[in-house]
Amino acid sequence: MARSRAAYEYTEAEDKSIRLGFFLIAAGLLSLLGLGCCWLRPALQERGGGGSANCTVLAVRQLGERFSCTFSCGAACRGTARYPCLQVLVRTSRSSVPALLHEDERQLRTNPKCSYIPPCARDDQENSENVTYKQKYWKEKVGSQPFTCYFNQHLRPDDVMLKRTHDETVLLHCFLWPLVTFLVGVFIVVLTICAKSLAIRAEAIKKKKH
């Protein structure tokens, strides 16, 4: 009777394997829940009323207004510089109303008045040169050539983005890795239980033969 009970008990290695499996299952579920509430849901809301369109540049201009940015020159060295505001107005294939172009959603949230925020340098002149270079790029290299842009009619009907921060690849990884973690945990638990069950059956068959 004691031998039969011992055969059904998990060894220390099997017990650790099952605990690891349940830990991975819990981690996968919590990751899906956390990403869904804190990151995936806002991302899908941004994409919910949006789509892609063809954009054509209408005007490229610098405003007289300057904005502040924060630069870092070391662990304990930070400062404030200024840069001019560049606006790129475009026409989309979805609407005849001009729209203001932005690099992505992050840039739009940081400074909704401008189309470009340069890497913040300590020297204001360097920031101005970076903005001027971007202005020439849109005027001379892009010009009247159509390009793909993205919009969201529900959130920002008067703005379009050059690229999305939350693209399909990021959303895929948001689902993929927690799901893989969950499935690996399930696989470990099932494999350990099946291996134990097979070992018990093999032991029972061995005893019957003897």
Side-chain angles (χ1 to χ4, degrees):
M1 187 70 179
R3 287 185 179 181
S4 177
R5 191 183 303 114
Y8 283 89
E9 291 179 353
Y10 288 103
T11 63
E12 184 178 355
E14 291 169 339
D15 186 59
K16 288 182 178 179
S17 179
I18 291 178
R19 288 183 182 181
L20 175 62
F22 281 120
F23 172 78
L24 291 176
I25 291 172
L29 290 176
L30 290 175
S31 298
L32 280 174
L33 182 63
L35 289 172
C37 294
C38 302
W39 193 90
L40 185 59
R41 185 178 176 184
L44 291 176
Q45 286 178 347
E46 285 185 3
R47 294 170 57 87
S52 61
N54 288 327
C55 283
T56 306
V57 176
L58 292 177
V60 183
R61 64 193 183 189
Q62 284 193 33
L63 302 182
E65 188 176 3
R66 287 179 170 263
F67 291 87
S68 299
C69 63
T70 302
F71 64 86
S72 177
C73 50
C77 177
R78 296 174 66 87
T80 302
R82 301 181 70 82
Y83 65 92
C85 181
L86 175 67
Q87 288 189 338
V88 180
L89 299 177
V90 299
R91 178 187 290 116
T92 70
S93 57
R94 299 294 185 94
S95 175
S96 59
V97 179
L100 183 61
L101 181 69
H102 300 272
E103 291 282 325
D104 52 29
E105 286 95 344
R106 290 193 184 99
Q107 186 269 312
L108 172 60
R109 288 192 294 266
T110 302
N111 189 341
K113 287 187 177 182
C114 304
S115 298
Y116 174 67
I117 299 176
C120 193
R122 178 183 294 187
D123 186 10
D124 291 355
Q125 181 62 31
E126 183 176 347
N127 292 327
S128 297
E129 290 174 357
N130 288 334
V131 172
T132 301
Y133 173 81
K134 185 64 71 171
Q135 182 179 7
K136 290 181 179 180
Y137 168 81
W138 285 107
K139 276 187 175 181
E140 300 174 3
K141 292 189 177 182
V142 179
S144 59
Q145 298 178 11
F147 59 93
T148 303
C149 60
Y150 302 93
F151 63 92
N152 193 314
Q153 293 179 341
H154 297 331
L155 296 180
R156 306 287 303 197
D158 299 327
D159 299 280
V160 294
M161 271 69 66
L162 184 60
K163 58 184 178 181
R164 280 178 172 149
T165 304
H166 308 298
D167 59 8
E168 287 81 1
T169 304
V170 176
L171 296 180
L172 174 63
H173 284 286
C174 185
F175 274 117
L176 179 61
W177 297 115
L179 182 61
V180 168
T181 303
F182 173 80
L183 292 178
V184 169
V186 172
F187 177 76
I188 291 175
V189 172
V190 172
L191 187 63
T192 304
I193 293 175
C194 288
K196 185 65 175 179
S197 177
L198 290 174
I200 293 172
R201 289 185 181 181
E203 184 69 21
I205 293 172
K206 185 178 179 181
K207 286 181 180 179
K208 285 181 180 180
K209 288 182 178 181
H210 288 289

